[in-house]
Amino acid sequence: MTAETGDEIESLRELITRAQVVLWDFDGPICRLFAGHSAERVAVDLVGWLEGRGLHGLLSETERKSLDPHIVLRAVDRRHPGSDLVDELEERLTQEELRATPSAMPTPYADPLIRTWKAVGSRLAIATNNSPRVVHTYLADRGLTSCFAPHIYGRTQELNRLKPDPHCLNRALSAMGSAPSAALMIGDTPSDLLAANEADVPFLGYARNERKEKLLRDAGATTVVASLEPVLKLIRQA
């Protein structure tokens, strides 16, 4: 929604009005976790750690060059599910995420939107592929824990259940006793959209640049905002 036409505002208003429960992805809609601590470098380090142990062959060329730590993690889990190797790799990623947390950049308007949405009676949860330890740390630093707790659903040892699998969304819906149709997922990647579709949850895309908007649109997202400001305005008008 790079331009706020009347139809787009009405589409956004309809999504917001129906939502009694709001499921947030973490890295993107709430903050840029790796704003000062490159996710690409983390992925390269994980690949290098595997190669240093003679495990170069665990990854395809595409996976090695993905520059996405979650792709690396999922690839190893597919080949050695539930292994000590996967546990150690996941812990290394968690430690990198924790190191990134102090320099994470809050998404513009996210903090007031979260507080306002909570204040008007909506229930909020986080459904993310990041470690829940990282989410708890970030929210505590921003004074936002009470807006979400205890409904923070992040990466578990079941790495095959990361989004686009809807597992974390379904955990949130079940714990909150919410029908999918009464919820809304806010995400910034096609995997968020696919997970929402699989869980039958309406989806609002957040795209901080044109590249991310194109990825969401190409994946089938119909309502995408370039800023959370219009969402905040609508909540305040409700």
Side-chain angles (χ1 to χ4, degrees):
M1 200 166 86
T2 50
E4 295 173 28
T5 67
D7 286 347
E8 287 170 331
I9 289 293
E10 283 311 306
S11 174
L12 184 57
R13 190 193 308 276
E14 184 179 347
L15 280 176
I16 290 169
T17 301
R18 281 202 312 252
Q20 299 170 22
V21 166
V22 185
L23 311 179
W24 292 72
D25 179 40
F26 174 66
D27 185 10
I30 291 179
C31 68
R32 286 177 61 193
L33 178 59
F34 289 102
H37 186 89
S38 167
E40 289 82 2
R41 185 189 64 74
V42 172
V44 169
D45 286 352
L46 292 178
V47 170
W49 182 81
L50 288 169
E51 291 178 347
R53 280 150 186 75
L55 299 172
H56 180 273
L58 280 181
L59 301 175
S60 69
E61 190 67 18
T62 300
E63 290 161 349
R64 277 193 292 275
K65 292 181 177 178
S66 70
L67 300 181
D68 183 335
H70 287 119
I71 287 178
V72 175
L73 191 60
R74 277 192 294 250
V76 176
D77 182 65
R78 277 196 302 273
R79 281 137 200 160
H80 292 278
S83 65
D84 289 345
L85 171 65
V86 171
D87 288 347
E88 188 169 354
L89 195 64
E90 192 277 331
E91 180 59 26
R92 290 183 73 85
L93 176 54
T94 295
Q95 291 303 318
E96 292 286 359
E97 290 175 340
L98 286 168
R99 273 191 283 275
T101 303
S103 59
M105 183 181 296
T107 298
Y109 302 100
D111 286 19
L113 175 56
I114 288 165
R115 291 191 173 98
T116 303
W117 226 331
K118 178 71 172 179
V120 300
S122 295
R123 293 182 296 153
L124 311 182
I126 289 178
T128 177
N129 283 350
N130 295 114
S131 167
R133 290 154 61 187
V134 173
V135 178
H136 280 287
T137 299
Y138 177 85
L139 295 180
D141 288 347
R142 303 294 296 176
L144 294 170
T145 302
S146 63
C147 294
F148 293 97
H151 299 296
I152 296 168
Y153 304 96
R155 189 170 64 239
T156 70
Q157 295 302 312
E158 295 182 279
L159 298 178
N160 61 318
R161 310 302 290 275
L162 294 175
K163 290 178 288 185
D165 189 284
H167 180 61
C168 60
L169 282 74
N170 288 332
R171 287 173 65 207
L173 294 173
S174 177
M176 301 174 86
S178 173
S181 60
L184 174 66
M185 175 74 193
I186 301 178
D188 71 329
T189 65
S191 66
D192 293 325
L193 172 62
L194 291 169
N197 288 346
E198 189 69 23
D200 291 326
V201 172
F203 182 79
L204 170 61
Y206 166 70
R208 63 182 174 85
N209 56 40
E210 291 183 0
R211 180 185 67 83
K212 282 188 166 287
E213 179 175 8
K214 184 176 188 306
L215 289 171
L216 286 170
R217 298 283 190 192
D218 289 349
T222 55
T223 306
V224 180
V225 293
S227 166
L228 296 177
E229 184 180 17
V231 184
L232 178 59
K233 285 182 177 178
L234 288 171
I235 295 294
R236 285 176 170 167
Q237 292 169 7

